[in-house]
Amino acid sequence: MPPLEDSAVWQQLEQFGRDAQHLSIVERFERDPKRAESFTIRSDGLYFDYSKTTLDSKSLKSLHALAKAQKLDEAKKAMFSGEHINTTEDRAVLHVALRAPQSAQYMVDGRNVSDDIHATLNAMERLCADVHSGAWRGHNGQKIDTIIHIGIGGSDLGPYMVCDALKPYAKDGLNIHFVSNVDGAALQSTLQKVNVDSTLFLIASKSFTTEETIKNATSARQWFLQTAKASEDSIAKHFVAMTVNKIAAIDFGIDTDNIFPFGDYVGGRFSLWSSIGLPIALYLGFENFRALLNGAHAMDEHFRSAPMDKNLPVTLALIGLWHRNFCGYDTLAIMPYAQNLQHFPAYLQQVDMESNGKEIDRHGRPLPYGTGPTLFGASGTNGQHAFYQHIHQSKVITPCEFVAIKSPLSSVEGHHNTLLSHVIAQSRALMIGRKNGETIQQPEKYFSGNRPSTTLILEALTPFSLGQLLALYEHKIFVQGHIWGLNSFDQPGVELGKILAKGIAQYIARSKTAQHESSGLDPSTQQIMSYLFEE
Ligand code: F6P
């Protein structure tokens, strides 16, 4: 097979991308009165309009041909059947198994993992029942009323976002806090708020070696023992771990019965469906965690079986490819018009940028084309008063993915219609722009318009629909990574910083006594270190 960029279909798409510049989005609607309907997908409570883009039926057909030429169907099958598609780490990628019914078979290295998954789910359910009923008590008999979740990256962003998004479903009488940053200020300010005797710590780390998490967990443990004036035995009543690395959790001092495992076929950024989702189950109730899994499973089934032109993840992915590779747009804004989805962009940053922010393909070839976009976003309407000026008028064109919720989450009268009027207005303003001399006379107020956006509407924000939304984006990222030829499931780029930080930490520890010792560091780094640490 020729390299992707030399294939006939890729080159045809490049030509279509150039041609597309000659016909604006507005003109496309004028030419095709059915455009809105033709470029909308409705599926299982989701409404997705991508008509405000420069795509047409020709370019869409070629994008489908590109996906076929790249053997997308085979790639999907490979993922769902547990092949080691994470080639660098030689692992299967089966987060989809975590949300499937127990009767489904998911094979990893010849073994059906469904029973393990459901055994962990059952253990999580039991813990939730015990904490909620008060059967689980702290060291001096107090009922648990506070959860502190300690984790970082994929072991934090997903659960944090979901708990905030679905907080109207939260169980009465249970508070939750998340500590991720190794900055002691994060842990300290959290510990100041809680009662040690009624607090349960969840230590979430797939590897159980991540420096930030282990440091925060160690300090939390020390604080617990000192503040509660409790014995080591009491740790079992206040510390629980979620990890693949059971041995490291035991070494840390977690009781074996309090370890909730998952398989290494679950990547960190795809792990909120595993035991890493325990804070979700505790805070929202196990039945709501189950509904979240069900929503994701429904999207998995849709992704597996819907034809390409009706397939939401595939369509979203191909639109992204169109913008990234054939229109030349390097950035992507994710704009949820829902306060409860305020952390969705940050969560998605990890899923997308850690998966597809890569310049080398899965065979080690440096790639000549762009891959994962620079992704940012904020909840609407807050973003409008922050960076939308850039989105409307800068030379950089940023495609926007708007997410809206049809029914309101609050009962505050009149607000929801205002919110919806803004999301509708923004996609329209991006498209139509404002021409000098037509409605205004001042050139500085002119803006070109013709800026693409898509609008995804959820009927309501529920555990089920949130599960659908998250799985939709996971599969979008999988499709894009596959077509670009990437391994979307490793993250070698973040390793170097971790290694260097260890060396620098050792140097800092020594520097007070050996200030003038040659560090072997570059002059800028050396100078910063001198400024920070020399007395
Ligand atoms: O940032 C790198 C990373 O490995 C992420 O992929 C992962 O989600 C995060 O660190 C935390 O890792 P762990 O769950 O092993 O502590």
Side-chain angles (χ1 to χ4, degrees), residues 152-155 205-208 210 268-269 350 354 491 494 498:
I152 198 163
S155 296
S205 176
K206 177 179 173 183
S207 60
F208 227 81
T210 302
R269 50 194 174 273
Q350 190 206 15
E354 199 166 86
Q491 53 285 324
V494 294
K498 291 187 193 173

Side-chain angles (χ1 to χ4, degrees), residues 11-202:
Q11 293 189 353
Q12 185 183 49
L13 278 160
E14 285 184 327
Q15 185 56 48
F16 288 164
R18 287 188 287 272
D19 296 346
Q21 293 171 9
H22 305 301
L23 194 65
S24 72
I25 304 171
V26 170
E27 287 165 332
R28 287 166 199 274
F29 278 105
E30 285 163 1
R31 287 195 181 184
D32 176 8
K34 293 215 166 89
R35 181 174 174 83
E37 190 52 39
S38 324
F39 290 80
T40 295
I41 300 175
R42 295 161 207 249
S43 170
D44 203 5
L46 302 176
Y47 176 102
F48 178 59
D49 178 331
Y50 59 105
S51 60
K52 293 192 187 87
T53 64
T54 53
L55 276 167
D56 57 21
S57 50
K58 247 179 14 189
S59 46
L60 204 53
K61 211 166 139 206
S62 293
L63 286 163
H64 290 159
L66 177 73
K68 279 193 192 119
Q70 288 298 99
K71 301 194 180 356
L72 177 62
D73 278 344
E74 288 84 337
K76 277 200 243 179
K77 279 191 194 113
M79 176 168 75
F80 280 92
S81 62
E83 278 180 38
H84 285 208
I85 61 168
N86 177 355
T87 42
T88 43
E89 295 173 353
D90 193 16
R91 286 177 186 158
V93 174
L94 267 183
H95 45 278
V96 291
L98 300 168
R99 49 229 193 182
Q102 189 162 6
S103 53
Q105 277 220 343
Y106 282 93
M107 304 302 286
V108 174
D109 302 329
R111 220 171 69 78
N112 180 8
V113 291
S114 289
D115 288 345
D116 294 350
I117 290 169
H118 284 267
T120 300
L121 279 172
N122 292 341
M124 288 166 69
E125 187 170 14
R126 279 196 300 275
L127 177 79
C128 290
D130 287 351
V131 169
H132 296 148
S133 68
W136 182 295
R137 298 268 159 175
H139 71 106
N140 62 0
Q142 284 200 38
K143 191 173 179 233
I144 299 299
D145 62 11
T146 302
I147 306 291
I148 298 184
H149 178 94
I150 296 179
I152 198 163
S155 296
D156 165 70
L157 290 160
Y160 178 50
M161 179 268 300
V162 172
C163 287
D164 195 57
L166 297 176
K167 63 175 173 253
Y169 292 82
K171 287 270 173 200
D172 284 341
L174 203 57
N175 298 310
I176 194 156
H177 304 279
F178 289 83
V179 177
S180 53
N181 200 326
V182 74
D183 183 343
L187 182 65
Q188 192 169 37
S189 66
T190 305
L191 297 180
Q192 275 163 358
K193 287 183 236 171
V194 306
N195 169 11
V196 66
D197 303 321
S198 55
T199 295
L200 182 65
F201 289 92
L202 309 182

Side-chain angles (χ1 to χ4, degrees), residues 105-423:
Q105 277 220 343
Y106 282 93
M107 304 302 286
V108 174
D109 302 329
R111 220 171 69 78
N112 180 8
V113 291
S114 289
D115 288 345
D116 294 350
I117 290 169
H118 284 267
T120 300
L121 279 172
N122 292 341
M124 288 166 69
E125 187 170 14
R126 279 196 300 275
L127 177 79
C128 290
D130 287 351
V131 169
H132 296 148
S133 68
W136 182 295
R137 298 268 159 175
H139 71 106
N140 62 0
Q142 284 200 38
K143 191 173 179 233
I144 299 299
D145 62 11
T146 302
I147 306 291
I148 298 184
H149 178 94
I150 296 179
I152 198 163
S155 296
D156 165 70
L157 290 160
Y160 178 50
M161 179 268 300
V162 172
C163 287
D164 195 57
L166 297 176
K167 63 175 173 253
Y169 292 82
K171 287 270 173 200
D172 284 341
L174 203 57
N175 298 310
I176 194 156
H177 304 279
F178 289 83
V179 177
S180 53
N181 200 326
V182 74
D183 183 343
L187 182 65
Q188 192 169 37
S189 66
T190 305
L191 297 180
Q192 275 163 358
K193 287 183 236 171
V194 306
N195 169 11
V196 66
D197 303 321
S198 55
T199 295
L200 182 65
F201 289 92
L202 309 182
I203 314 301
S205 176
K206 177 179 173 183
S207 60
F208 227 81
T209 57
T210 302
E211 190 182 15
E212 294 92 327
T213 299
I214 300 305
K215 218 175 187 86
N216 275 325
T218 306
S219 301
R221 186 174 183 275
Q222 212 175 337
W223 173 85
F224 167 76
L225 290 172
Q226 277 168 5
T227 316
K229 299 188 181 41
S231 67
E232 291 273 341
D233 294 350
S234 311
I235 295 283
K237 296 193 165 119
H238 291 267
F239 283 78
V240 159
M242 301 91 89
T243 186
V244 168
N245 190 351
K246 232 176 144 172
I247 298 188
I250 294 170
D251 285 350
F252 179 86
I254 307 277
D255 199 277
T256 333
D257 292 344
N258 291 356
I259 298 175
F260 294 80
F262 59 102
D264 72 0
Y265 50 84
V266 180
R269 50 194 174 273
F270 305 95
S271 64
L272 74 90
W273 321 101
S274 71
S275 58
I276 295 289
L278 188 55
I280 303 173
L282 280 164
Y283 184 58
L284 304 175
F286 194 79
E287 65 288 1
N288 286 319
F289 182 60
R290 179 103 53 202
L292 183 83
L293 300 182
N294 290 344
H297 179 64
M299 182 54 70
D300 295 339
E301 291 302 299
H302 166 89
F303 176 53
R304 248 204 306 202
S305 59
M308 255 190 208
D309 60 339
K310 299 271 177 292
N311 196 304
L312 284 166
V314 173
T315 305
L316 195 56
L318 295 178
I319 296 165
L321 247 99
W322 172 249
H323 288 151
R324 185 75 182 95
N325 301 113
F326 309 113
C327 301
Y329 307 147
D330 300 339
T331 49
L332 173 65
I334 304 290
M335 306 304 312
Y337 273 68
Q339 182 61 20
N340 288 60
L341 290 178
Q342 62 178 321
H343 301 305
F344 182 58
Y347 153 82
L348 213 52
Q349 263 176 339
Q350 190 206 15
V351 186
D352 197 323
M353 295 172 91
E354 199 166 86
S355 298
N356 288 343
K358 290 168 185 164
E359 59 180 351
I360 313 277
D361 80 1
R362 56 180 169 256
H363 304 296
R365 180 175 83 106
L367 293 174
Y369 47 79
T371 57
T374 306
L375 189 153
F376 64 99
S379 64
T381 60
N382 297 17
Q384 288 174 208
H385 297 273
F387 52 80
Y388 272 42
Q389 166 60 35
H390 191 283
I391 290 185
H392 283 287
Q393 246 189 338
S394 127
K395 298 286 273 182
V396 175
I397 295 186
T398 296
C400 291
E401 290 178 8
F402 293 107
V403 180
I405 320 282
K406 193 171 171 187
S407 44
L409 270 158
S410 85
S411 52
V412 187
E413 220 168 290
H415 285 236
H416 197 59
N417 286 351
T418 307
L419 180 70
L420 292 181
S421 68
H422 277 284
V423 66

